[in-house]
Amino acid sequence: MTITVGIFIPFLAAALIPLVYKRLSNKYIGWLVLIVPLVLFIGLIKYIPLVSSGKQFDHTIPWIPSLGIYFTTYLDGLSLIFGLLITGIGTLVILYSIYYLHEREALGRFYAYLLMFMGAMLGVVFSDNILVLYVFWELTSISSFLLIAFWYHRKQSRYGAQKSILITVSGGVSMLAGFIMLSVMANSFSVRDLLALSGELSDHSLFIPAMILLLLGALTKSAQFPFHIWLPDAMEAPTPVSAYLHSATMVKAGIYLIARFTPVFGGEELWLYIISGVGLLTLLWGSFNAVKQTDLKALLAYSTVSQLGLIMSLIGVGSAALKDLEPIIYTQATFAAMFHLINHSTFKGALFMVVGIVDHNLGTRDIRRLGGLISLMPVSFTIALIGSFSMAGLPPFNGFLSKEMFFEAMLNVRQSDLFSIGSWGVIAPLIAWVASLFTFVYCMIIVFRTFLGKHQHDKIERKVQEGTLGILIAPSVLAILVVGIFFYPNLVGKYLLQPAMISIYPQYSGLDGLTPHITAWHGVNNALLMTISVVILGGLMYKFLRYWQGLYTIPPFRWSIDTLYNSVLVQTENVSSRVTKTYMTGRLRDYLIYIFLFFLITVGGGWLLADGIEINFANDAPISTYELLIILAMMIAGISIIFAKSRITAILLNGVLGYSIAILFVFFRAPDLALTQTVVESVTTALFLLCFYFLPEWKKITSTPPRKTKLLNALIAITIGTVVTIIALIVQGNKMFESIAFYFEDAYRLAGGRNIVNTILGDFRAFDTMLEVVVLFIAGLGVYTLIRLKSEKGDKAVEDQ
Amino acid sequence: METLVTLLIGILVTVAVYLLLSRNLIQFILGTAILSHAVHLLLITMGGLKKGAAPLLGENATSYTDALPHALILTAIVINFAVTAFILVLAYRTYRETKTDDLHVLRGFKHE
């Protein structure tokens, strides 16, 4: 119950912001917002001991029970980690943003979006119903879009926002398709039901398609190769947003999803290969590209891409545990993934915040213009140092622990003989090692290019000073965590990671070693040797960066997926506009032809396809002479309208039609219709005559259309008329349903009237009649306005536009 | 009877479609008016013609004609009137502003 409320608190707060925004000074709004994540965080902390003792919590509100959609929230070890990250980092980010964003910014809008994101993200991790999960998933994409475009006057912001929403939402939609397939297989929308069935689904024909579609959603959201391109452009968002959404939480939703569904798909070979393959490729490509960036935030973006790839590859390897006889080797990979997930949030969050401070105080984050800030910004330097060294995998920081575990897991792939991986197993540790080299290089760039070297006064316009105390609080807290986790890693292991591991591998919950004891020193082994070689070689590479930098200018290293994305976007626009222009001619006649052709194809074609339908004349009523005369007169009048030489003739012929229909209504026992038709026809004819008085003789204006056009028009008209006639005849001969008219014959008792038509209009369908009156009223207003409205002098004529 | 009326409906629809495809504004408006006549006839014919007395309970007849199409048509007639009136005035106004009633010229196309 508390969890359900917890999801809605941020949404509620977001809705309240516009109300208080006007009355409150911009100074205080951030503090007010800060309460929300803080309360949620403390609330979640209280669950830690309960969850780590093996408890799980769920709460259900029926939403659309008839479709099996329940708003069920579910708290276990895995969702708790994410919940804590969302609210914990959220608290720090909002605290940071209070000092980061200027009071003159549209803070109300900013915090409303941020809270909306927070609620949506909590919804993603706590939802048990996959459709509800999907809704929240897309809500995070939307709020991310709004936050990236926060400074919407910038062209780059709009470009980045569009890119992110295009990529993540198309992934999300394919994920929805995967979800629906899963629910078809398991006959349930509940995640827990799916997990309970885990082993039994793999033979289903939809199993592999569902898996790939689900992975598409996860990989786009977590910015994995080749979908990673949206993340660097998302850096146009304000830095608190980058730190929060685009490094700590939203981009980890894909990891959450994959971890969550590991019990379902885990034993599958393809699942392992896709996730670890894409993960390793992303790790390498991200770290390689990060080195060439000159914008600090872009560098951090690529490093996030690469680190997400690292976590992804670990989870992929970890999924093998469900297939193997010795699961512990592989569960350790997942354990490392979860551990690195937490560590990454701490050190990357700190780094983003420091870069934000540099940007905020200096007005630039271009490393070519930075340098020598160590004496001017000592605190920022310390935090950056801690963050970078942790990311590079150096002790005594938490990144060292998880990086070592990562190396070990990758080395285990080489030794394993799973899925007959054979000698290809060498590739995994090799890629890991090469990527770590680049990681080491860009980590050094972040610290040393920014803070060491010579301060370039001439390139910086502002006077440089350390950030204020307030802005430093949040990154300092994260930096302390980075160091703290290194010294007390097993606190995290016992209370956070163990319950999460049990959620991912419920069948191994009793197994010893599912949560290994984390130690910083475990003798000289291969992993440590890898780290040492990375430090030495990475150091050399950093030192001689300018000698091998030329590598980035030659293909295939200078290629980027961005070019592909841009050209696809441009081409799509061009082609679609060209296609549209071919049929959107601007001529009313053409559009009407489309409508008529559609009618012909669907209705007429349907009639041709359906056989066995016959025309039945047996029910026809007899025809009297008068009726025959009237109908013949109408036919003649109708046809003559086409050939009418003057407009008066045409109007009068139309009048003949209208009055004849009134007479027909009398024959057809419809007195009300006859009366109405007579009145309306009189007024209409008068109106026509009145208007025609002002309109030109049509002889003069209408240039006779070419014979061919006329012939085509006639052809279309005749075919439509024929189809309508035939369909009408078929319908008359084949009554499929009983008439419901007898119900209305009880009108006197039900509605107190003897005229059935009147009771239908005034009682049974009174609401309809009321709206009809509204239509009349609107039309009347329109007529009045059009007649009375004086065209203003200097108004542009239509032709000029 | 129904077959005959259906034939009439077919002819009216043909005429209406032909007029709708014309370039002249007034012919177009006439087309909409005739099309709605055809639809009204179609509706009442579908309910069956001359089966029983007029739907007035005071008649004390054994059976009445289907009153539901009547109610629908009544609504349609009124709505149609509103629409026709509006289009007519719109046409009048358009002509006043642009001095043309040719739909092609209105869109900015030159005479072909």
Side-chain angles (χ1 to χ4, degrees), chain A residues 233-440:
Chain A
D233 283 305
M235 292 299 129
E236 291 300 323
T239 304
V241 174
S242 310
Y244 188 36
L245 273 72
H246 305 126
S247 88
T249 53
M250 190 183 85
V251 288
K252 295 197 170 121
I255 290 168
Y256 167 78
L257 193 80
I258 288 178
R260 180 54 94 201
F261 283 93
T262 292
V264 180
F265 298 108
E268 199 65 29
E269 216 170 318
L270 196 62
W271 175 264
L272 169 82
Y273 285 141
I274 292 181
I275 298 175
S276 351
V278 169
L280 282 170
L281 193 61
T282 312
L283 167 68
L284 185 63
W285 188 251
S287 62
F288 178 71
N289 274 297
V291 175
K292 75 170 175 188
Q293 302 302 321
T294 51
D295 177 1
L296 273 179
K297 269 183 93 176
L299 196 158
L300 284 180
Y302 274 105
S303 106
T304 304
V305 167
S306 141
Q307 298 280 312
L308 289 169
L310 187 156
I311 300 173
M312 210 51 108
S313 64
L314 279 173
I315 290 193
V317 171
S319 71
L322 293 168
K323 198 79 175 177
D324 201 62
L325 295 172
E326 281 182 83
I328 292 303
I329 299 175
Y330 302 102
T331 57
Q332 278 178 358
T334 307
F335 183 80
M338 290 295 123
F339 190 37
H340 197 71
L341 181 96
I342 297 174
N343 294 343
H344 177 250
S345 296
T346 55
F347 62 67
K348 189 54 69 62
L351 279 174
F352 262 116
M353 289 179 185
V354 170
V355 168
I357 294 171
V358 170
D359 189 15
H360 189 254
N361 290 2
L362 275 74
T364 181
R365 41 174 210 255
D366 189 332
I367 46 174
R368 288 168 298 190
R369 294 166 67 188
L370 295 172
L373 296 177
I374 181 165
S375 55
L376 299 162
M377 305 172 77
V379 184
S380 304
F381 167 70
T382 316
I383 297 168
L385 189 77
I386 293 172
S388 294
F389 279 27
S390 179
M391 182 152 68
L394 296 175
F397 309 109
N398 56 6
F400 171 72
L401 301 174
S402 39
K403 198 66 172 275
E404 290 279 279
M405 291 161 80
F406 166 64
F407 282 145
E408 240 163 81
M410 289 300 136
L411 286 168
N412 283 337
V413 173
R414 186 183 48 132
Q415 283 155 8
S416 80
D417 207 23
L418 192 71
F419 299 135
S420 59
I421 201 165
S423 53
W424 288 96
V426 182
I427 288 182
L430 193 69
I431 292 179
W433 185 73
V434 175
S436 296
L437 281 177
F438 289 114
T439 307
F440 189 85

Side-chain angles (χ1 to χ4, degrees), chain A residues 665 672-673 675-677 679-681 684 761 768-777 779-780, chain B residues 36 40 70-86:
Chain A
F665 283 151
D672 303 271
L673 293 185
L675 288 172
T676 320
Q677 179 68 32
V679 172
V680 166
E681 197 53 45
T684 313
L761 289 173
D768 208 23
T769 310
M770 194 193 82
L771 291 178
E772 180 194 333
V773 174
V774 174
V775 170
L776 268 184
F777 179 70
Chain B
S36 63
H40 298 162
H70 296 189
L72 292 177
I73 295 167
L74 202 66
T75 312
I77 291 174
V78 176
I79 296 279
N80 179 52
F81 166 64
V83 173
T84 310
F86 183 76

Side-chain angles (χ1 to χ4, degrees), chain A residues 585-589 592-593 596 617 619-624 627-628 631 634-635 638-639 641-642 647 650-651 654 657-658 661 664-665 667-673 676-677 680-681 683-684 687-688 691-692 694-696 698 701-703 705-706 710 712-714 716-718 720-722 724-725 728-729 731-732 735 739-741 744-748 753-757 760-761 765 768 772 775-776 779 782-783 785-791 797-799, chain B residues 1-38 40-42 44-60 62-112:
Chain A
T585 54
R587 291 188 181 89
L588 183 63
R589 177 170 168 270
L592 284 169
I593 288 179
F596 290 136
F617 298 110
N619 291 330
D620 274 21
I623 308 166
S624 72
E627 289 161 356
L628 188 69
I631 288 175
M634 283 178 78
M635 287 177 178
I639 294 169
I641 287 182
I642 296 176
R647 50 193 191 147
I651 297 162
N654 184 45
L657 279 181
I661 286 181
L664 278 183
F665 283 151
F667 290 137
F668 298 157
R669 321 265 198 276
D672 303 271
L673 293 185
T676 320
Q677 179 68 32
V680 166
E681 197 53 45
V683 182
T684 313
L687 248 174
F688 261 108
C691 276
F692 282 22
F694 295 102
L695 287 173
W698 69 28
I701 294 292
T702 315
S703 56
K710 251 185 171 169
L712 184 68
N713 288 359
I716 294 174
I718 289 168
I720 294 275
T722 320
V724 168
T725 317
L729 285 174
V731 171
Q732 277 164 41
K735 288 262 188 291
S739 167
I740 57 166
F744 299 109
E745 284 167 19
D746 205 8
Y748 189 65
R754 291 187 191 280
N755 184 329
I756 302 179
V757 177
I760 292 175
L761 289 173
R765 290 171 62 243
D768 208 23
E772 180 194 333
V775 170
L776 268 184
V783 167
T785 325
L786 279 173
I787 291 174
R788 291 300 300 262
L789 188 77
K790 291 269 188 295
S791 65
V798 178
E799 294 100 317
Chain B
M1 184 77 211
E2 276 90 341
T3 314
L4 189 65
V5 177
T6 311
L7 282 177
L8 174 63
I9 292 165
I11 289 170
L12 288 184
V13 168
T14 312
V15 172
V17 169
Y18 185 80
L19 289 176
L20 282 177
L21 291 175
S22 129
R23 270 166 59 172
N24 185 288
L25 200 54
I26 298 156
Q27 284 189 331
F28 179 83
I29 299 170
L30 274 173
T32 59
I34 295 171
L35 192 62
S36 63
H37 286 325
H40 298 162
L41 280 178
L42 184 68
I44 200 164
T45 318
M46 290 299 116
L49 295 176
K50 303 202 287 183
K51 307 261 174 359
L56 302 167
L57 293 176
E59 301 277 291
N60 286 324
T62 46
S63 75
Y64 301 97
T65 51
D66 197 337
L68 197 57
H70 296 189
L72 292 177
I73 295 167
L74 202 66
T75 312
I77 291 174
V78 176
I79 296 279
N80 179 52
F81 166 64
V83 173
T84 310
F86 183 76
I87 306 182
L88 267 175
V89 177
L90 191 65
Y92 154 72
R93 186 71 199 205
T94 313
Y95 177 69
R96 278 268 307 267
E97 298 291 328
T98 63
K99 301 290 172 227
T100 179
D101 64 346
D102 187 323
L103 287 168
H104 272 215
V105 181
L106 271 179
R107 277 296 306 183
F109 294 107
K110 296 276 174 280
H111 284 282
E112 281 158 15

Side-chain angles (χ1 to χ4, degrees), chain A residues 128-342:
Chain A
D128 174 62
N129 189 291
I130 46 178
L131 291 185
V132 177
L133 193 158
Y134 169 75
V135 171
F136 282 124
W137 181 279
E138 295 293 38
L139 255 182
T140 62
S141 292
I142 292 167
S143 42
S144 154
F145 168 80
L146 291 169
L147 283 166
I148 296 170
F150 179 65
W151 288 314
Y152 52 77
H153 51 274
R154 296 184 188 169
K155 192 170 169 241
Q156 275 302 313
S157 294
R158 295 196 302 271
Y159 171 77
Q162 187 201 35
K163 200 175 190 177
S164 80
I165 204 165
L166 276 179
I167 293 176
T168 54
V169 168
S170 34
V173 171
S174 73
M175 184 184 84
L176 176 65
F179 277 170
I180 291 169
M181 287 181 183
L182 273 178
S183 69
V184 168
M185 284 188 274
N187 204 17
S188 164
F189 287 117
S190 162
V191 173
R192 277 175 295 166
D193 288 355
L194 287 171
L195 300 189
L197 283 171
S198 54
E200 297 158 34
L201 301 176
S202 54
D203 294 331
H204 203 285
S205 58
L206 285 177
F207 186 70
I208 298 291
M211 183 176 99
I212 289 168
L213 288 171
L214 190 118
L215 278 179
L216 268 177
L219 297 179
T220 47
K221 196 77 164 180
S222 282
Q224 295 298 294
F225 188 89
F227 310 114
H228 65 278
I229 48 167
W230 69 265
L231 194 59
D233 283 305
M235 292 299 129
E236 291 300 323
T239 304
V241 174
S242 310
Y244 188 36
L245 273 72
H246 305 126
S247 88
T249 53
M250 190 183 85
V251 288
K252 295 197 170 121
I255 290 168
Y256 167 78
L257 193 80
I258 288 178
R260 180 54 94 201
F261 283 93
T262 292
V264 180
F265 298 108
E268 199 65 29
E269 216 170 318
L270 196 62
W271 175 264
L272 169 82
Y273 285 141
I274 292 181
I275 298 175
S276 351
V278 169
L280 282 170
L281 193 61
T282 312
L283 167 68
L284 185 63
W285 188 251
S287 62
F288 178 71
N289 274 297
V291 175
K292 75 170 175 188
Q293 302 302 321
T294 51
D295 177 1
L296 273 179
K297 269 183 93 176
L299 196 158
L300 284 180
Y302 274 105
S303 106
T304 304
V305 167
S306 141
Q307 298 280 312
L308 289 169
L310 187 156
I311 300 173
M312 210 51 108
S313 64
L314 279 173
I315 290 193
V317 171
S319 71
L322 293 168
K323 198 79 175 177
D324 201 62
L325 295 172
E326 281 182 83
I328 292 303
I329 299 175
Y330 302 102
T331 57
Q332 278 178 358
T334 307
F335 183 80
M338 290 295 123
F339 190 37
H340 197 71
L341 181 96
I342 297 174

